[in-house]
Amino acid sequence: MSVAATAPRPGRAPAAFLWDRWLVFAVVSLLGLGLVLVASASIAIADRSSGEPFYYLARQLVFLALGLVAAAFCLGVPAENWIRARYLLLAGAFALLVTVLLPGVGREVNGAVRWLSLGPVNLQVSEPARLMILLYLSGYVAVRQDTLRTELKSFLLPLGFVALACVLLLAQPDFGAATVLMATALAVLFAGGVRPRYFAVMLVLAAVALGVLAMGSEYRLRRLTSFMDPWADPYNAGFQLTQSLIAIGRGEWFGVGLGAGVQKLFYLPEAHTDFVFAVFAEEFGLAGVLLMLALYVIVLWRAFAIASAAAARGQVFHASLAFGLGVWLGAQAFVNIGVNMGLLPTKGLTLPLVSYGGSSLIVCMAAVGLLLRVGHEARAVPPAGNRRRRKRA
């Protein structure tokens, strides 16, 4: 399939941008909750480390501004340009993943080398790398859709690139990012038309490989097993999870009130990043948790609705990208919340659009911009069935 076949063809695109209002509402609401939570969860640690209670909130506002710029950029780029740039994006992703592992280049924090120092900020390379790989995969599916359905090698080629990226992520180590990337890639390729038997075999192999890698490292094995009974070692391996569970339990139905949580006061590690959900549950209770979950459900609903609308119009790239972004954001939110609730081992993944962190927030905003762009282009073209009826008329 040619690049031109994936771009809006018939008719004239409307002058006004076609916004997905539900998606915008959910994203803006999550961003607002995120700012409130970052301020509440970080006030104690910010005051202790910098003497400025709202130090992290101020930085998050700067990151949000940069994220809006990234979203605006992605809104303005026609989808077909991403298809043409797919190999450049893939090369850029691997350049980031390799550069961070070079001696003296990557910045080490808590035993992991995941960041590149860029002046006053640190770039977590897995965030933009995963988005660039997803753009490559969506472009590959659009161009190679016919052979993807009939030739095994057309399936193995992009999967090989994804596997190599996962190896580089595990070298940092970043097991959570590797897991989400592999899950997203398999979902996009399956939706792109890969034969079910090929997909089933690769799914089993991927699960086995991730399991072997997890069991082969003492560090990862300890994190995988500690979540099963965190109370067995509550002051060491199980400390993060026990404090998170205490915070969630204290929230009960309606929470203790904004700012009144105590677990964030030097008890719960990474309260404003990986465990911000626990702070939210403590201060807003089950009612607040259900509200947040509803907002994420809206984001997933709109991502999959955009993918379905694009598929009905024959826009393969648009459908693949929207579907992949939905799987990615949904999987990362699920993993983060699961970790906070003790359902999954600690992975170090942020809560999309909510947790503190420049790399995560900016890339998530870029993902939202891409979703809005492909949604606009999908709605600007009538469905294939309507086009055929118009031609007959």
Side-chain angles (χ1 to χ4, degrees):
M1 180 178 292
S2 66
V3 171
T6 65
R9 294 184 295 268
R12 181 178 300 173
F17 194 92
L18 300 174
W19 296 95
D20 191 310
R21 291 181 176 84
W22 276 106
L23 178 59
V24 172
F25 163 76
V27 168
V28 171
S29 299
L30 287 169
L31 290 171
L33 282 177
L35 292 175
V36 171
L37 285 173
V38 167
S40 178
S42 67
I43 190 168
I45 187 174
D47 186 52
R48 183 182 64 175
S49 61
S50 67
E52 301 177 10
F54 296 107
Y55 172 79
Y56 290 106
L57 175 61
R59 288 175 64 89
Q60 188 77 340
L61 287 170
V62 174
F63 296 147
L64 177 57
L66 294 174
L68 290 172
V69 172
F73 173 78
C74 292
L75 276 173
V77 177
E80 61 185 78
N81 290 353
W82 297 112
I83 306 175
R84 295 193 183 99
R86 62 188 182 279
Y87 290 114
L88 183 62
L89 291 166
L90 182 65
F94 278 105
L96 288 172
L97 294 175
V98 171
T99 300
V100 76
L101 296 175
L102 296 177
V105 178
R107 183 170 181 265
E108 181 176 346
V109 178
N110 296 328
V113 185
R114 304 175 185 173
W115 294 267
L116 292 176
S117 294
L118 302 176
V121 298
N122 296 313
L123 173 66
Q124 187 171 351
V125 297
S126 64
E127 298 289 348
R130 283 184 290 160
L131 182 59
M132 288 189 285
I133 291 173
L134 176 56
L135 285 164
Y136 158 76
L137 288 173
S138 300
Y140 182 89
V141 169
V143 175
R144 302 285 186 180
Q145 186 185 26
D146 294 335
T147 58
L148 192 61
R149 293 178 175 177
T150 59
E151 299 178 4
L152 178 60
K153 65 179 181 181
S154 294
F155 173 51
L156 293 178
L157 177 62
L159 199 61
F161 286 129
V162 172
L164 179 57
C166 288
V167 170
L168 294 173
L169 286 170
L170 291 170
Q172 297 179 8
D174 196 342
F175 188 78
T179 302
V180 172
L181 174 60
M182 180 60 72
T184 304
L186 288 172
V188 170
L189 292 173
F190 179 73
V194 171
R195 290 184 177 182
R197 65 174 180 269
Y198 294 161
F199 177 79
V201 170
M202 291 303 165
L203 185 62
V204 172
L205 291 176
V208 171
L210 290 174
V212 169
L213 288 169
M215 301 294 287
S217 168
E218 182 181 352
Y219 165 77
R220 286 193 289 270
L221 182 60
R222 186 169 61 251
R223 298 187 73 173
L224 285 171
T225 55
S226 63
F227 90 101
M228 300 177 67
D229 186 13
W231 303 102
D233 190 9
Y235 299 107
N236 190 12
F239 184 75
Q240 284 182 310
L241 182 52
T242 55
Q243 298 304 312
S244 177
L245 293 175
I246 291 172
I248 294 173
R250 291 191 74 246
E252 298 185 351
W253 290 100
F254 299 103
V256 299
L258 177 61
V262 297
Q263 290 305 112
K264 63 190 179 186
L265 303 176
F266 314 119
Y267 295 106
L268 180 62
E270 311 295 340
H272 57 305
T273 54
D274 298 350
F275 287 90
V276 72
F277 175 82
V279 176
F280 179 74
E282 181 182 10
E283 299 188 352
F284 290 89
L286 179 62
V289 167
L290 293 176
L291 172 62
M292 177 180 284
L293 292 178
L295 292 173
Y296 278 114
V297 168
I298 292 174
V299 172
L300 298 186
W301 163 49
R302 295 317 306 158
F304 295 147
I306 290 170
S308 178
R313 290 157 173 81
Q315 297 171 314
V316 180
F317 173 80
H318 301 64
S320 300
L321 181 59
F323 183 73
L325 289 172
V327 172
W328 172 20
L329 295 174
Q332 185 160 327
F334 173 79
V335 170
N336 179 274
I337 294 172
V339 166
N340 277 247
M341 297 180 66
L343 301 176
L344 296 171
T346 304
K347 290 290 189 296
L349 290 174
T350 58
L351 189 59
L353 301 169
V354 174
S355 292
Y356 171 81
S359 301
S360 175
L361 184 58
I362 292 171
V363 171
C364 283
M365 290 300 294
V368 170
L370 289 169
L371 266 178
L372 291 171
R373 178 69 198 192
V374 298
H376 161 74
E377 292 190 9
R379 294 173 65 186
V381 177
N386 291 349
R387 296 201 299 269
R388 286 192 293 268
R389 285 194 291 270
R390 289 181 183 180
K391 290 179 180 179
R392 294 193 192 101

